[in-house]
Each structure stands twice: as C-alpha cells, then as structure tokens.
Amino acid sequence: MRTKSDIWKLIDQKAKNYFFWVVTLVSIAMVIAASGTKIAGLASPNMTWWMLGALWMGILLNGLILRWLNANYSDREWTKWVMMVTLTVLLVLMRLTTEDAPETHALGYFVIAAAMFFFDIKVIWYAFAVSIAIDVTMWNTFPNEMDAFIKV
C-alpha cells in the first residue's frame, strides 16, 4: 500500500515532467515567434541575428539541462529550484533579446504560472518575487522598455 508520502513524491515527479514539457514547448514557440518577426523585418533594431542565435542556444541548453535533471534527479527536492532558476535565466535572455517590445513584460507571468506545477508555495513566492525583481531591474537598466510598455 502506498503512503501519503509516496503519493506526494509521485505527484512531484509528474509535476517536474510536465514542467519540463511546458517550458520546452513554450520556449520553442517564443523563439520561433521572435525569429519570425526578425525574418519578416518587424523586429526592433535592437534584435540582431547574434542575439537570436544566443536565444536559440539558451533554449537548447535550458532544454538539455532540464531533460538531464528530470531523467536523473527527478526524485530530489532541490531539482524544482534548479528548474525555476533555469527558467528565470531563460526569461532574462528573452527579455534582453526583445528589450523594447512591451509584450515581453508578460513573460514574468509565465514564470509564475510554471511555478504552480510544483504545488509548493515557496516556489510560487520565489517566482513572483523574481518576476517583479526582473521587471524593476530591466526597467531601470533599459528605460526605453518602460516607455514602450507605457505606450501600449
């Protein structure tokens, strides 16, 4: 008979697996959209082919790290924190690539939504705090991003 602890471990492992697939698919969709806007000539002048290449490499590296973690250490408690940090790095990379696009402001909400897969309030609070911190830091570092956001 399974105990309550075993069931929660199974739920945690499944949540990490779903987190991996959601983050991977959404990341690929985001970079395809960014690439499409660059190819169509609709991207901002700040988006260069080098930055797009860095974004593609970041998403590939993030997917490989998450897959490796999920395959080898899914039963460990700390893996959800590493997964959230890799998603945060990916968020910053995406925001830097498309720095003056006001639509990227909503990427912070994706981090918060992805944190809910873990059913852990500490992880959700981390996602909330890091999303706010990234917005404040980006707006202070790149004031033109705030101008683009206000115009929407």
Side-chain angles (χ1 to χ4, degrees), residues 5-143:
S5 177
D6 292 338
I7 292 171
W8 277 109
K9 284 180 184 177
L10 183 63
I11 289 172
D12 192 45
Q13 287 175 348
K14 288 293 184 187
K16 289 175 186 173
N17 191 36
Y18 293 139
F19 177 86
F20 163 73
W21 285 109
V22 167
V23 168
T24 301
L25 293 175
V26 170
S27 299
I28 289 170
M30 286 189 309
V31 78
I32 287 173
S35 299
T37 58
K38 178 68 177 168
I39 291 169
L42 301 173
S44 71
N46 297 331
M47 184 184 290
T48 63
W49 288 108
W50 185 89
M51 288 182 89
L52 259 178
L55 184 60
W56 274 104
M57 293 307 297
I59 287 176
L60 176 66
L61 185 61
N62 188 55
L64 290 173
I65 289 170
L66 289 179
R67 186 69 192 140
W68 179 76
L69 277 174
N70 210 18
N72 297 322
Y73 300 104
S74 184
D75 58 337
R76 307 276 170 75
E77 180 70 23
W78 55 267
T79 55
K80 60 184 160 189
W81 294 100
V82 174
M83 288 178 156
M84 287 305 299
V85 168
T86 62
L87 180 60
T88 304
V89 169
L90 196 62
L91 164 73
V92 170
L93 186 60
M94 186 67 179
R95 294 280 303 266
L96 284 173
T97 304
T98 59
E99 81 179 52
D100 63 347
E103 300 83 15
T104 60
H105 171 71
L107 290 176
Y109 302 131
F110 175 63
V111 174
I112 297 168
M116 291 182 191
F117 278 95
F118 296 118
F119 303 105
D120 186 346
I121 193 69
K122 291 180 277 189
V123 175
I124 296 169
W125 276 112
Y126 162 80
F128 176 75
V130 85
S131 296
I132 299 295
I134 287 171
D135 277 343
V136 170
T137 303
M138 293 288 285
W139 286 341
N140 287 323
T141 307
F142 303 106

